[in-house]
Amino acid sequence: MTTRGVLYVHSAPRALCPHVEWAVAGVLGVRVQLDWIRQPASPGTWRAEFSWRGEPGTASKLASALRGWHLLRFEVTAEPCATAEGERYSATPDLGIFHAVTGIHGDILIPEDRLRAALARSVQGETDLEAEIAKLLGKPWDDELEPFRYAGEGAPVRWLHQVV
């Protein structure tokens, strides 16, 4: 069973671009050469995006390979398939990585225990329920990445196929 998804590198310093390609190639098992274009939302950085096909779990492996690199902003998505839910990973230097499970229509599916924990923290006065739900939905990541998404409209997309 395979799934497909998209990797969006929203911004990376030029010196980091080859390392991103090597990390992605290591996950996909094929040589990767991305089409880098300037990122106008952050002068001096570059952006790239491409679509991939692979086994369920590939999005997680891509996110793991790229996480922790300071100054790198990226998102990885995977569509749901017969054996796995969809996934979305978002990462920024300030916020770190966000993960969500997505349904067949792209909606974020929040596990019951995480909702109960957010409600409990709110009831105990530790936090605001609205802020907790915003975090569960990835709003802080969306807010930070939105200018980078718009700046990349019209960028080329390349399909990569993982041999299984």
Side-chain angles (χ1 to χ4, degrees):
M1 186 60 56
T2 63
T3 187
R4 63 183 180 175
V6 180
L7 168 65
Y8 304 92
V9 179
H10 291 298
S11 70
R14 188 62 168 167
L16 196 54
C17 294
H19 299 282
V20 169
E21 291 177 354
W22 296 329
V24 173
V27 170
L28 297 177
V30 297
R31 186 170 181 266
V32 174
Q33 185 174 358
L34 301 177
D35 294 323
W36 295 96
I37 59 173
R38 292 186 187 277
Q39 173 53 276
S42 180
T45 65
W46 297 79
R47 65 174 280 55
E49 61 185 68
F50 68 91
S51 295
W52 54 267
R53 286 188 188 272
E55 295 179 5
T58 299
S60 175
K61 292 175 184 175
L62 288 168
S64 293
L66 299 175
R67 75 177 292 169
W69 289 359
H70 193 65
L71 303 178
L72 182 65
R73 288 176 183 86
F74 69 89
E75 291 181 277
V76 183
T77 63
E79 293 182 4
C81 65
T83 60
E85 298 285 358
E87 294 183 280
R88 174 183 156 209
Y89 293 87
S90 302
T92 73
D94 293 332
L95 297 173
I97 198 158
F98 167 78
H99 171 254
V101 174
T102 57
I104 61 172
H105 300 294
D107 297 326
I108 291 177
L109 308 176
I110 301 172
E112 180 180 335
D113 62 330
R114 293 185 71 195
L115 284 171
R116 289 184 189 278
L119 184 58
R121 283 190 297 275
S122 174
V123 168
Q124 294 170 356
E126 296 174 19
T127 186
D128 176 64
L129 183 58
E130 186 176 350
E132 284 292 311
I133 291 174
K135 284 187 221 174
L136 291 172
L137 294 171
K139 185 175 180 346
W141 287 265
D142 286 338
D143 290 345
E144 188 169 327
L145 291 173
E146 199 62 24
F148 296 90
R149 292 174 183 146
Y150 281 122
E153 287 183 3
V157 176
R158 178 188 304 189
W159 283 96
L160 293 181
H161 301 277
Q162 182 177 4
V163 177
V164 180

